[in-house]
């Protein structure tokens, strides 16, 4: 018999997971209910029990990953092999070809990806049917503090901290960049997933003290047309590396998966 309500577990109770979990717990997404939450830390004031990953896999039909790239790399395949579906926010985990191939081939659970902070992903993916793109560029601009990384040298950190205008902190492909900014440039990997080639997507990461809104600009050019998608997001107040829209993109994806009528896929 087909289950009518999808039992959802949220992995990572942070900027994304908390909003997704609260909407589900309030019964605001038809066809889905929050069953449990998994997090590294002991949690208080959560609407459902905190569970271990093993318990969550056992109890849930689908897990929402809102924890980080390393969770996807370490546990993604195991979740799918247990027959539990996985909706991934940390798409940057897929820039390693071998890990990506394993995850995409695993089952019987199904893996899904959120469009997250970027739009136009559906059109970029559709263009593969027309032969794809000659060039794809993504420029991500964020507040400097959200882009600081342990691998940065003192000179670069100083330039970022004292900047009075935009500073390009990395230029590379969608294969290189999400590994260097694991909590901040998953969007590059998402664009690469849509286009089908992380090496084809050129990425520029810009730190700008004036970027009170996070900006992502995608420019793609092919024989069939040119496309430009530009978004300016208000960051999450608790975690300004993440835009406020992201949990709502996850929820929209969940609504499509759980079969609510009227979704644009
Ligand atoms: N696709 C997109 O557009 C976007 C994707 N993302 C991805 O989503 C992830 C989550 O974002 P966000 O909610 O803002 O992050 P937060 O840092 O706000 O929250 C993440 C939570 O997950 C916990 N956590 C980390 N690792 C594990 C683990 N292995 N098991 C259980 N819990 C874990 C963290 O705990 P602790 O702090 O103790 O580690 C923290 O409580 C980001 O790391 C990023 O990869 C984010 C923004 C946009
Ligand atoms: O939320 C955003 O704007 C983008 C982000 O952090 C990411 O791609 O990881």
């Amino acid at each position: 018999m087909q289950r009518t309500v999808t039992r959802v577990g949220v992995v990572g109770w942070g900027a994304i997971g908390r909003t997704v979990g609260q909407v589900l717990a309030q019964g605001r997404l038809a066809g889905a209910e929050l069953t449990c939450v998994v997090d590294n830390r002991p949690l208080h004031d959560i609407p459902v029990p905190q569970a271990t990953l093993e318990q969550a896999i056992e109890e849930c039909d689908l897990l929402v990953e809102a924890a980080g790239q390393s969770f996807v790399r370490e546990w993604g395949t195991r979740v799918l092999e247990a027959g539990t579906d996985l909706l991934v926010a940390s798409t940057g985990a897929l820039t390693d070809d071998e890990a990506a191939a394993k995850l995409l081939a695993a089952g019987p659970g199904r893996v899904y990806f959120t469009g997250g902070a970027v739009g136009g992903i559906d059109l970029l993916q559709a263009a593969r049917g027309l032969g794809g793109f000659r060039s794809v560029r993504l420029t991500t601009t964020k507040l400097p503090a959200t882009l600081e990384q342990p691998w940065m040298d003192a000179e670069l950190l100083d330039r970022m901290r004292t900047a009075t205008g935009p500073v390009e902190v990395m230029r590379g492909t969608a294969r290189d960049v999400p590994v260097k900014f694991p909590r901040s440039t998953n969007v590059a990997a998402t664009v690469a997933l849509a286009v089908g080639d992380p090496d084809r997507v050129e990425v520029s990461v810009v730190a700008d003290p004036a970027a009170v809104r996070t900006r992502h600009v995608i420019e793609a050019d092919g024989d069939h047309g040119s496309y430009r998608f530009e978004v300016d997001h208000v960051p999450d107040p608790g975690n300004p590396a993440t835009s406020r829209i992201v949990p709502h993109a996850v929820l929209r994806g969940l609504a499509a998966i759980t079969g609510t009528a009227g979704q644009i896929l």
Side-chain angles (χ1 to χ4, degrees):
M1 197 179 75
Q2 202 176 354
R3 186 178 295 284
T4 51
V5 175
T6 301
R7 296 167 302 178
V8 177
V10 170
V11 184
W13 197 247
I16 298 174
R18 205 175 295 127
T19 298
V20 169
Q22 280 160 355
V23 167
L24 293 177
Q26 289 159 9
R28 287 161 51 200
L29 194 96
E33 69 182 19
L34 183 68
T35 301
C36 60
V37 175
V38 179
D39 197 275
N40 275 339
R41 291 168 281 188
L43 299 171
H44 310 285
D45 294 332
I46 51 171
V48 288
Q50 182 164 1
T52 64
L53 180 62
E54 284 72 18
Q55 288 166 336
I57 289 173
E58 182 73 28
E59 291 169 12
C60 298
D61 303 307
L62 182 148
L63 297 186
V64 172
E65 175 280 315
Q69 294 180 15
S70 60
F71 176 85
V72 180
R73 285 198 203 92
E74 280 169 45
W75 301 106
T77 304
R78 166 115 173 251
V79 172
L80 299 172
E81 284 173 349
T84 304
D85 295 343
L86 181 64
L87 173 52
V88 170
S90 300
T91 48
L94 276 87
T95 50
D96 173 326
D97 283 341
E98 203 180 315
K102 261 177 80 180
L103 189 74
L104 294 173
R110 289 159 297 179
V111 65
Y112 302 95
F113 304 98
T114 179
V118 277
I121 293 302
D122 46 352
L123 274 182
L124 294 180
Q125 203 161 23
R128 286 161 77 167
L130 289 167
F133 294 104
R134 245 187 320 272
S135 68
V136 185
R137 273 206 307 273
L138 168 73
T139 308
T140 286
T141 307
K142 287 189 166 192
L143 286 172
T146 67
L147 292 172
E148 289 192 9
Q149 301 297 327
W151 53 263
M152 290 178 166
D153 63 25
E155 190 268 330
L156 178 54
L157 287 171
D158 187 54
R159 271 202 297 138
M160 289 166 73
R161 288 172 188 167
T162 57
T164 53
V167 174
E168 186 177 67
V169 294
M170 185 171 175
R171 182 180 283 259
T173 68
R175 184 182 299 284
D176 315 321
V177 170
V179 184
K180 295 286 195 184
F181 299 89
R183 298 170 68 172
S184 283
T185 58
N186 289 275
V187 287
T190 307
V191 171
L193 274 171
V195 170
D197 182 0
D199 300 312
R200 167 60 52 109
V201 183
E202 294 167 39
V203 184
S204 170
V205 182
V206 178
D208 185 350
V212 286
R213 293 191 173 186
T214 293
R215 171 169 297 172
H216 303 291
V217 181
I218 302 168
E219 296 160 291
D221 184 55
D223 290 337
H224 44 81
S226 331
Y227 306 83
R228 182 185 160 91
F229 306 102
E230 177 169 341
V231 297
D232 281 285
H233 295 307
V234 173
D236 181 89
N239 176 4
T242 292
S243 299
R244 278 190 70 192
I245 193 79
V246 177
H248 298 279
V250 170
L251 285 161
R252 201 207 68 83
L254 259 184
I257 295 166
T258 59
T260 308
Q263 284 290 320
I264 297 170
L265 291 174

